[in-house]
Amino acid sequence: MRVFNKNMKIFGDTYMLWGLLGFGTSLAAIAVALFLAYYVNKYEEGTERMREIARAIQEGARAFLKVQNFYLMIFAVVMALVLAVFLGINVAIAYIVGALFSMIAGVIGMEVAVRANVRSTYSAFREGIRRAFLVAYLGGTVMGLMVVGTALAGITLFYAIFNDFQVLLGFSLGASSVALFTKAGGGIYTKTADIAADLVGKVELNLPEDDPRNPAVIADNVGDNVGDVAGMASDLYDSYVASIIAAMVIGFEMFANFGAPELYIYLPIIIAAGGIVATLIGLTWVKIHAHEDPGASLNRITLIAIIAYILILYVLVWWFNANWAVFYATVAGLIAGGIMGLTTDYYTSIDKPPVQKIAEASTTGTAINILLGFSYGTLSIVPGIIGVAVAMLIAWYISIHFGLYPIYGIAIAAIGMLGIVGTIVSADAYGPIADNAKGIAEQSRLGEEVIRILDRLDAAGNTTKAITKGFAIGAAALTVIALFAAYAEIVDIQLLVDAGSAVLVDPTKVLNLVDPNVVSGLLIGAMMPPVIAAMLILAVGRNTEVMIEDIRKQVRERPGILKGTEKPDYARCVSIAEKGALKELMLPGLIATIAPVVTGILLGVRALAAFLAGSIATGFIFALFMANSGGAWDNAKKYIEDGHFGGKGSDAHKAAVVGDTVGDPFKDTAGPTLNTMITVMSLMASTFAPLIALLALFP
Amino acid sequence: MRVFNKNMKIFGDTYMLWGLLGFGTSLAAIAVALFLAYYVNKYEEGTERMREIARAIQEGARAFLKVQNFYLMIFAVVMALVLAVFLGINVAIAYIVGALFSMIAGVIGMEVAVRANVRSTYSAFREGIRRAFLVAYLGGTVMGLMVVGTALAGITLFYAIFNDFQVLLGFSLGASSVALFTKAGGGIYTKTADIAADLVGKVELNLPEDDPRNPAVIADNVGDNVGDVAGMASDLYDSYVASIIAAMVIGFEMFANFGAPELYIYLPIIIAAGGIVATLIGLTWVKIHAHEDPGASLNRITLIAIIAYILILYVLVWWFNANWAVFYATVAGLIAGGIMGLTTDYYTSIDKPPVQKIAEASTTGTAINILLGFSYGTLSIVPGIIGVAVAMLIAWYISIHFGLYPIYGIAIAAIGMLGIVGTIVSADAYGPIADNAKGIAEQSRLGEEVIRILDRLDAAGNTTKAITKGFAIGAAALTVIALFAAYAEIVDIQLLVDAGSAVLVDPTKVLNLVDPNVVSGLLIGAMMPPVIAAMLILAVGRNTEVMIEDIRKQVRERPGILKGTEKPDYARCVSIAEKGALKELMLPGLIATIAPVVTGILLGVRALAAFLAGSIATGFIFALFMANSGGAWDNAKKYIEDGHFGGKGSDAHKAAVVGDTVGDPFKDTAGPTLNTMITVMSLMASTFAPLIALLALFP
């Protein structure tokens, strides 16, 4: 077992300045975020009707986050006590702060998002698409900058104060625990409301989307925010933190055992800071040119951030005289991320063959729609997996070529993918803001023109969301591979890179795949992601049934609701979604948290490493397939609604609606939770490694 | 690289006799099978109408198998040429004969099945359930005994003649290649016909199941035979052969390198012969007691075969003074198989909560039915995976405890699960015979009483099918784990079992999971099963669309068909199913065949080992989930048809029909193909190991 907290200097003389600069950059990001929040909030909210709807969404979202964060804090305190007993008080403190920071980023980001939506609607009404886009995008940017700012601030602060990697891992675990529960809870909430609103509202009662007569409409809008904005922010927050800390752990290993310069411990912080600067540079390009599609603008911002990031990286590596493998590995990561984004786009875009074939198949019946959506989503994993494998191989062999410790190269490639996470989160949070803005416009009857504008903003958000989701899943995959390597370092598993000549090894120190414990660990780890996904989907199913019953009851008992003369009890639907989500997220969350520790104790530390490898493989596969199947079903429905194959109301449309509903918990509940879940499992393994090694039944 | 064919005696003096006894047992099995075929064939075929229907099914099935086997022979010859060039003529001959034997077992078994079905119908009409059951079960037994007989005969013969394990691997690969294409082709055929017949016949035209006015009805009945009987026989044939040969390869390793007695090379043959005897003993119990459910009778036969098998094993181990770990490992395998069978039963049985909850959810709409079926199927993987992991661990540590080479213990556990494969195949082939018998009764209007009897036989077949399917998947999983180990032995990967003290190893000889090539291999291998599954489902989707168009056209152009005054063109539907299946099976089959070789050459022999491990993990997961989701959907529909939640014709029923249709290619096309696919990939790796090692870009 490595001991991290011995003989370390607090921010070694040479790099003190750079550590401080990293901290400074993170504060700058937070400052810009707060300014943008203030700026967006100054826009007008519009008519009384609009304000009323916006308030209902805000209240629902706040109420859910409040209750969820309350339970999360209880969980975090219990977990912190466990950590304090077994691993010391410092780790416990870091855990709590990591959890708190993640929650704060989510709360502030969501608070701005639920204010930006109505302001974007009103801007569309008053000034047209360009202002509406600006408000929606800057609202999303608050979230993006808060995520990277608080993350980097936390890492630099904790490292400066405690100077102990176990503490940093605790911080990362805190962030990931919150992300797991936020993702699972938000995912269950949002899809319960969405499916119930659709199944009863659209199918049984024939109401249009976002119709105010639908009792679940507010719950649905709230869900978009708690699931997509807050949940997704926690998700990328935790990948971001984990990727930086994994690289630092490996950098320390190089420093302590192989005599590498101390620089490599701090380089991840410096590179991350460079990414924040790149995000800020991209931000200066936020505007729509005349006659331009908002999607093109989103793509331009992202492209400029990527180019700026590569240039900054080049300068940083040159300035610090670091190993050039660092630069190439980062670029390899970025390219892999790009490939995954584009693949996601191909398999889920409304203009491409897969979606159109699914739409066409809907004319043959619901079953064929389901089968095709499932199959195309599954096929879509190929480029992503090969992309990540190639990025990993390039990072490894480039590192060996340039004489860098190869595992460090892989960790750096993960940071490469996550470097511009500020830009990604901004674009991702923009999506639900635009979606909500459209909903508010429909509910407050602002006329066709406004809805048409907001529809364009919403559609641009959907494509971006698909691309950034691919990027996020790829980044999470590389991050957990880096975490897997970090765990291997921590439990002292030998690398055996020096091929060719025989070396003396202790068999208990080799992660040998011809070992029954290792194979069992692999199988059990591989089993975890699909099982947790299934549990989450069942949770959505159960919760939806309850809400559907309630909607039917409301409509039946109070006929005025459908006539529009009586206001439905929105709050009851909000409360059903909320209570169900909080109840249902516990079991899968706990299983994911405890399984690595139990596996490690029962089968040994090497079996646990294989458990992580297995969970990465299937976690990656299921996350990709579920996200892309869901996206494809969604757009196949939209393609039919655009007038193809009989258009709205046709049998093909009905089939496509079922496909879309099946895809909902795939893409918005189970799929996104899996990323976070494998991160949490990897961090649990690393953080509890000393305890597991002590109690393990096998060597 | 190990060289197998040096310094070996042809059936060493001591074991000559036992080798011959193994061969004799296999001939006995074939003799009994031929006698039963003759016996079943002597029953009467019934009325002219019945004969006509039976003939149509027979002709369709024969035509399909004829064309399929023709293409398969072309493929086999090309493959044999490749093998002859790279690995020698003997391997090529063994490959061709393995392929031929597998085809012959399938053809004879299917020929008897398509004769037994109509005879079972007529027996039900003339003499009632007991005779009908006997005819159906004995018809299935022909298949069961042919499978084990030809398999063991082939293995003993080839080993006696060539005395070379590379040749034996070639034999096994031949059997597996045929199984892969038969499974994929038959699976596409049967589900194309089934879904098309259902979607147009039942949903659009409101015809009952198996109605003679449905143009796809014969194609549907043919499909049951080519998919379920011939396909499943090839599937278990190939697992059976592979498990015996994997154990022999490892036994030879023990003999050649660790000085173990030669006995362990022959023991797999002897144990398999013991299993055949157990199957024959079980066969003597074939009858239904008064007022007994046919399912109880099927279970009794299986139970008696298992008990007989355990006793025979005990005696064999004692008689040969073999290591007792062999006995315990086999029993561990049997118990794991039992657990998997019972789990399958729990998740797919009509009397258990999962199926009933899916049925209940159908009242909420189609989407919830789909989501629940998907989720319960996915949850059902837990006991199976833990069962296989525990069986593997027990086999390993028991072997170490008794001083047996532990990998041999795992290989023997796989034979344990497959020992009574004769009984399993018999019960499994019984299913489609009973199903077809019912179909023939309905089409020839033999009255309610006969249909009721055959319904009972059919229902018993469904439960047995679910259990034996679980058993088969578990056995395939352990077999491929054994094949994985055999591959590791062949490419000389070090075991590192002597934990505790440091040993000198060559890093290129350790299957080290902290190696980018190994991790890449793992990810790519894990990707294969879901991708092939998706390709097969897409194939079914495409093919179904073509057939649906044709059925609609027939009914539209010739109104007499629906009135019952005009005979539909059954042959056109048969031909669509056939051509589509043959066209579509090629690409996935080729990818599965070539991928291991390409991976091995591009990433090295160790990456290929990890590729196999990854494919085992996801292959196992997807095979289980797809089989069980499909089974659960099927029975949820039947549960509603039994009068629950509104019964036939209700909205819940319509939703459940969609679920059943989605499940069809899951459980009968993609799921079953995955078993065979991972076996083929493992065998390709082992057989081509010398070539791959020569060309590999990495050490």
Side-chain angles (χ1 to χ4, degrees):
Chain A
M1 193 64 43
R2 300 267 186 272
V3 178
F4 283 133
N5 50 352
K6 296 277 181 285
N7 309 321
M8 291 288 303
K9 290 169 288 175
I10 297 181
F11 273 93
D13 304 328
T14 331
Y15 299 102
M16 180 65 149
L17 186 67
W18 300 106
L20 283 178
L21 260 184
F23 185 61
T25 313
S26 66
L27 292 188
I30 295 174
V32 174
L34 293 177
F35 167 74
L36 288 177
Y38 169 77
Y39 173 79
V40 168
N41 200 41
K42 273 203 332 193
Y43 276 84
E44 273 182 61
E45 284 187 278
T47 67
E48 184 50 43
R49 170 89 190 136
M50 288 171 69
R51 260 179 252 189
E52 194 189 315
I53 297 162
R55 199 132 312 127
I57 297 173
Q58 285 159 17
E59 279 163 15
R62 280 180 205 135
F64 177 72
L65 271 200
K66 210 164 135 187
V67 182
Q68 175 170 280
N69 286 341
F70 175 75
Y71 284 107
L72 273 183
M73 275 322 290
I74 295 179
F75 173 84
V77 168
V78 173
M79 188 78 178
L81 285 177
V82 174
L83 287 165
V85 170
F86 290 111
L87 303 169
I89 186 76
N90 293 354
V91 177
I93 293 173
Y95 179 86
I96 288 279
V97 176
L100 265 179
F101 271 32
S102 169
M103 284 182 211
I104 290 171
V107 166
I108 293 186
M110 209 208 52
E111 191 57 41
V112 174
V114 294
R115 286 159 184 268
N117 52 15
V118 61
R119 289 169 171 83
S120 175
T121 314
Y122 196 62
S123 301
F125 177 64
R126 284 262 300 259
E127 306 182 50
I129 190 163
R130 293 171 70 164
R131 184 64 62 179
F133 174 77
L134 193 69
V135 172
Y137 188 81
L138 292 182
T141 305
V142 174
M143 174 67 107
L145 291 175
M146 280 307 289
V147 163
V148 291
T150 54
L152 198 57
I155 292 171
T156 42
L157 261 187
F158 267 92
Y159 189 60
I161 296 172
F162 292 103
N163 207 355
D164 176 344
F165 282 102
Q166 193 107 44
V167 172
L168 275 192
L169 286 168
F171 179 78
S172 189
L173 183 60
S176 291
S177 297
V178 165
L180 178 63
F181 286 97
T182 310
K183 258 306 185 206
I188 296 170
Y189 185 108
T190 180
K191 289 305 123 176
T192 299
D194 188 7
I195 297 176
D198 280 3
L199 280 186
V200 185
K202 285 198 207 165
V203 180
E204 290 183 15
L205 308 174
N206 260 319
L207 299 173
E209 173 98 28
D210 287 326
D211 191 289
R213 287 169 296 172
N214 192 331
V217 70
I218 296 293
D220 189 9
N221 285 324
V222 169
D224 287 345
N225 289 296
V226 300
D228 293 355
V229 183
M232 181 268 313
S234 311
D235 182 11
L236 281 166
Y237 184 92
D238 99 273
S239 293
Y240 186 64
V241 170
S243 71
I244 296 171
I245 290 176
M248 289 177 77
V249 167
I250 297 163
F252 173 73
E253 178 79 12
M254 289 159 61
F255 165 72
N257 297 337
F258 306 120
E262 210 177 344
L263 166 69
Y264 292 99
I265 306 178
Y266 302 98
L267 204 54
I269 292 178
I270 297 166
I271 291 179
I276 292 182
V277 174
T279 293
L280 291 173
I281 292 174
L283 197 57
T284 58
W285 256 265
V286 179
K287 58 178 164 249
I288 311 184
H289 297 293
H291 304 296
E292 191 187 40
D293 185 70
S297 177
L298 284 174
N299 290 342
R300 192 174 51 241
I301 299 167
T302 311
L303 196 66
I304 284 167
I306 289 175
I307 293 170
Y309 183 43
I310 291 176
L311 292 177
I312 291 171
L313 270 173
Y314 190 90
V315 171
L316 284 176
V317 170
W318 168 77
W319 178 261
F320 285 103
N321 197 17
N323 192 310
W324 277 101
V326 167
F327 176 72
Y328 294 113
T330 323
V331 173
L334 266 174
I335 292 172
I339 290 172
M340 299 201 44
L342 293 175
T343 321
T344 309
D345 187 47
Y346 175 79
Y347 277 97
T348 58
S349 165
I350 202 161
D351 310 317
K352 300 287 188 316
V355 164
Q356 296 180 359
K357 274 187 193 153
I358 296 171
E360 190 187 342
S362 310
T363 58
T364 328
T366 311
I368 310 288
N369 167 292
I370 302 286
L371 288 171
L372 259 63
F374 173 86
S375 305
Y376 281 118
T378 305
L379 281 188
S380 77
I381 68 177
V382 176
I385 286 188
I386 291 178
V388 164
V390 169
M392 184 175 59
L393 288 168
I394 289 178
W396 181 281
Y397 287 104
I398 281 246
S399 300
I400 287 188
H401 177 77
F402 281 99
L404 182 69
Y405 191 56
I407 288 187
Y408 192 75
I410 290 178
I412 284 288
I415 301 186
M417 280 177 109
L418 282 160
I420 52 155
V421 84
T423 308
I424 291 172
V425 173
S426 306
D428 229 355
Y430 158 87
I433 294 176
D435 188 29
N436 261 240
K438 192 183 85 177
I440 293 171
E442 274 165 352
Q443 289 173 65
S444 38
R445 307 190 177 94
L446 288 183
E448 279 306 306
E449 174 60 19
V450 175
I451 293 177
R452 214 186 45 78
I453 288 176
L454 293 168
D455 231 2
R456 279 181 62 197
L457 292 190
D458 186 25
N462 279 339
T463 312
T464 315
K465 196 172 153 186
I467 296 180
T468 52
K469 208 175 249 176
F471 218 90
I473 294 173
L478 267 190
T479 302
V480 287
I481 289 174
L483 281 175
F484 163 73
Y487 169 78
E489 296 285 354
I490 290 171
V491 297
D492 221 359
I493 285 171
Q494 258 177 284
L495 250 193
L496 302 180
V497 267
D498 325 305
S501 59
V503 287
L504 200 65
V505 298
D506 176 351
T508 61
K509 299 282 178 217
V510 178
L511 191 48
N512 175 19
L513 202 44
V514 193
D515 174 323
N517 294 44
V518 171
V519 175
S520 297
L522 186 79
L523 287 176
I524 294 170
M527 172 186 90
M528 294 297 298
V531 165
I532 296 290
M535 292 178 74
L536 291 170
I537 294 174
L538 284 177
V540 171
R542 271 191 293 268
N543 215 13
T544 305
E545 286 186 52
V546 178
M547 194 186 282
I548 285 178
E549 283 313 310
D550 184 76
I551 300 174
R552 284 179 181 157
K553 200 171 149 212
Q554 285 202 29
V555 172
R556 193 171 57 235
E557 288 174 356
R558 295 158 59 201
I561 290 179
L562 280 186
K563 290 182 202 134
T565 58
E566 203 174 345
K567 228 178 84 175
D569 189 346
Y570 299 129
R572 223 161 71 194
C573 286
V574 169
S575 144
I576 288 172
E578 180 184 302
K579 281 190 193 135
L582 292 172
K583 198 181 81 187
E584 299 278 7
L585 65 80
M586 280 297 158
L587 188 63
L590 279 179
I591 290 178
T593 310
I594 293 170
V597 179
V598 172
T599 305
I601 290 174
L602 290 182
L603 295 172
V605 290
R606 285 171 300 147
L608 176 50
F611 171 97
L612 297 179
S615 74
I616 292 170
T618 55
F620 192 26
I621 288 173
F622 273 82
L624 271 173
F625 129 64
M626 291 187 137
N628 292 351
S629 283
W633 273 316
D634 190 357
N635 275 332
K637 184 195 71 175
K638 290 194 175 128
Y639 189 71
I640 293 178
E641 285 172 355
D642 286 351
H644 302 91
F645 306 117
K648 251 185 173 165
S650 64
D651 279 348
H653 183 241
K654 282 191 190 118
V657 167
V658 173
D660 179 35
T661 312
V662 170
D664 269 339
F666 274 41
K667 73 176 195 300
D668 293 323
T669 309
T673 305
L674 294 181
N675 280 343
T676 315
M677 178 195 155
I678 50 182
T679 312
V680 167
M681 296 203 303
S682 305
L683 285 168
M684 283 297 295
S686 289
T687 313
F688 280 91
L691 186 68
I692 293 167
L694 196 70
L695 300 177
L697 302 180
F698 287 91
Chain B
M1 193 64 42
R2 299 268 184 271
V3 178
F4 283 132
N5 51 352
K6 295 278 181 284
N7 310 318
M8 289 288 303
K9 289 169 288 177
I10 295 182
F11 272 93
D13 305 328
T14 331
Y15 300 102
M16 180 64 150
L17 185 67
W18 300 105
L20 283 179
L21 260 184
F23 186 59
T25 313
S26 66
L27 292 187
I30 295 173
V32 175
L34 293 178
F35 167 74
L36 287 177
Y38 169 77
Y39 173 79
V40 168
N41 201 41
K42 273 204 331 194
Y43 277 83
E44 273 182 63
E45 285 188 277
T47 65
E48 184 50 44
R49 169 89 190 134
M50 287 170 70
R51 262 179 251 190
E52 192 189 315
I53 297 162
R55 200 132 312 127
I57 298 173
Q58 284 159 17
E59 279 162 15
R62 280 181 205 134
F64 177 73
L65 272 200
K66 209 165 137 187
V67 181
Q68 176 170 278
N69 286 340
F70 175 75
Y71 284 108
L72 273 183
M73 276 322 289
I74 295 178
F75 173 84
V77 168
V78 173
M79 188 78 179
L81 286 176
V82 173
L83 286 165
V85 169
F86 290 111
L87 303 169
I89 186 76
N90 294 354
V91 178
I93 292 173
Y95 179 86
I96 288 279
V97 176
L100 265 180
F101 271 32
S102 169
M103 282 181 213
I104 289 169
V107 167
I108 292 186
M110 209 208 53
E111 191 58 40
V112 176
V114 294
R115 288 161 183 268
N117 52 16
V118 62
R119 290 168 171 83
S120 175
T121 313
Y122 196 61
S123 301
F125 177 64
R126 284 262 300 259
E127 304 184 50
I129 190 163
R130 293 171 71 166
R131 184 64 62 180
F133 174 78
L134 193 69
V135 172
Y137 188 81
L138 292 182
T141 304
V142 174
M143 174 66 106
L145 291 176
M146 280 307 288
V147 163
V148 290
T150 53
L152 198 58
I155 293 171
T156 42
L157 260 188
F158 268 93
Y159 189 61
I161 297 170
F162 292 103
N163 208 355
D164 177 343
F165 283 102
Q166 193 108 45
V167 172
L168 275 192
L169 286 169
F171 179 78
S172 190
L173 182 61
S176 290
S177 296
V178 166
L180 178 63
F181 287 97
T182 310
K183 258 307 184 204
I188 296 169
Y189 184 108
T190 179
K191 290 304 124 177
T192 298
D194 189 7
I195 297 176
D198 280 2
L199 280 187
V200 186
K202 285 199 207 165
V203 180
E204 289 182 16
L205 307 175
N206 260 318
L207 300 173
E209 173 96 30
D210 287 327
D211 191 290
R213 289 169 295 173
N214 191 333
V217 70
I218 296 293
D220 189 8
N221 285 324
V222 168
D224 286 344
N225 290 297
V226 300
D228 292 355
V229 184
M232 181 269 312
S234 311
D235 181 11
L236 280 166
Y237 184 93
D238 98 274
S239 293
Y240 186 63
V241 170
S243 71
I244 296 171
I245 290 176
M248 290 176 77
V249 167
I250 298 164
F252 173 72
E253 177 79 11
M254 286 160 62
F255 165 73
N257 295 338
F258 306 120
E262 211 177 346
L263 166 69
Y264 293 99
I265 306 178
Y266 302 99
L267 205 53
I269 292 178
I270 297 166
I271 291 179
I276 292 182
V277 174
T279 292
L280 292 173
I281 292 174
L283 197 57
T284 59
W285 256 265
V286 179
K287 57 176 165 254
I288 309 186
H289 296 292
H291 304 296
E292 194 187 38
D293 186 72
S297 177
L298 285 173
N299 290 342
R300 192 174 51 241
I301 299 167
T302 311
L303 196 66
I304 284 167
I306 289 176
I307 292 171
Y309 184 43
I310 291 177
L311 291 176
I312 291 170
L313 271 173
Y314 190 91
V315 171
L316 284 175
V317 170
W318 167 78
W319 178 261
F320 285 103
N321 198 16
N323 192 309
W324 279 101
V326 167
F327 176 73
Y328 294 113
T330 324
V331 174
L334 267 175
I335 292 173
I339 290 173
M340 299 200 47
L342 293 176
T343 321
T344 310
D345 187 47
Y346 175 78
Y347 277 98
T348 58
S349 166
I350 200 160
D351 310 316
K352 300 286 189 316
V355 165
Q356 297 180 358
K357 275 187 194 155
I358 297 170
E360 190 188 342
S362 310
T363 59
T364 327
T366 311
I368 310 287
N369 167 292
I370 302 287
L371 288 170
L372 258 63
F374 174 86
S375 305
Y376 280 117
T378 306
L379 281 188
S380 77
I381 68 177
V382 176
I385 287 189
I386 290 179
V388 164
V390 170
M392 182 175 62
L393 288 168
I394 289 178
W396 181 280
Y397 287 104
I398 282 248
S399 300
I400 288 189
H401 177 77
F402 283 98
L404 183 70
Y405 191 56
I407 287 186
Y408 191 75
I410 290 178
I412 284 289
I415 301 186
M417 281 177 108
L418 283 160
I420 52 155
V421 84
T423 308
I424 291 173
V425 173
S426 305
D428 229 355
Y430 158 87
I433 294 176
D435 188 31
N436 262 240
K438 193 184 85 177
I440 293 171
E442 274 165 352
Q443 289 173 67
S444 39
R445 305 190 178 94
L446 287 183
E448 279 305 305
E449 174 60 17
V450 175
I451 292 178
R452 213 186 46 79
I453 288 175
L454 293 169
D455 231 1
R456 279 181 63 197
L457 291 190
D458 187 24
N462 279 338
T463 311
T464 314
K465 196 172 155 188
I467 295 180
T468 52
K469 208 175 249 179
F471 218 90
I473 295 172
L478 267 188
T479 302
V480 287
I481 290 175
L483 281 175
F484 163 73
Y487 169 77
E489 296 285 354
I490 291 170
V491 298
D492 220 359
I493 285 173
Q494 257 175 284
L495 250 194
L496 301 181
V497 266
D498 325 305
S501 58
V503 287
L504 201 63
V505 299
D506 178 350
T508 61
K509 298 283 178 218
V510 178
L511 190 48
N512 175 19
L513 201 45
V514 193
D515 174 322
N517 294 46
V518 172
V519 175
S520 298
L522 186 79
L523 287 176
I524 294 169
M527 172 186 89
M528 295 296 297
V531 165
I532 296 291
M535 292 178 76
L536 291 170
I537 294 175
L538 285 177
V540 172
R542 271 191 294 268
N543 215 15
T544 304
E545 285 185 53
V546 178
M547 194 186 282
I548 285 178
E549 282 313 311
D550 184 76
I551 300 174
R552 284 179 181 156
K553 200 172 151 211
Q554 286 203 29
V555 173
R556 194 172 54 234
E557 288 175 357
R558 295 158 59 202
I561 290 179
L562 280 187
K563 290 181 200 132
T565 56
E566 202 173 346
K567 228 179 84 175
D569 190 347
Y570 298 130
R572 223 161 72 193
C573 286
V574 169
S575 145
I576 288 173
E578 179 185 303
K579 281 191 192 134
L582 292 172
K583 198 182 79 186
E584 298 278 7
L585 66 80
M586 279 297 158
L587 187 62
L590 280 179
I591 289 179
T593 310
I594 294 169
V597 179
V598 172
T599 305
I601 291 173
L602 289 183
L603 295 172
V605 288
R606 285 171 301 148
L608 176 51
F611 171 97
L612 298 179
S615 75
I616 291 170
T618 55
F620 192 26
I621 288 173
F622 272 82
L624 271 174
F625 130 66
M626 292 185 137
N628 291 351
S629 283
W633 273 315
D634 191 355
N635 275 332
K637 183 195 71 175
K638 289 192 176 132
Y639 188 71
I640 293 178
E641 285 172 354
D642 286 350
H644 302 92
F645 306 117
K648 252 185 173 165
S650 63
D651 280 347
H653 184 240
K654 281 188 191 119
V657 167
V658 173
D660 180 35
T661 312
V662 170
D664 270 338
F666 274 41
K667 73 176 194 301
D668 293 323
T669 310
T673 305
L674 294 181
N675 280 342
T676 315
M677 177 196 157
I678 50 182
T679 312
V680 167
M681 297 203 304
S682 304
L683 285 168
M684 283 298 294
S686 288
T687 312
F688 280 91
L691 186 69
I692 293 167
L694 196 70
L695 299 178
L697 301 181
F698 287 92

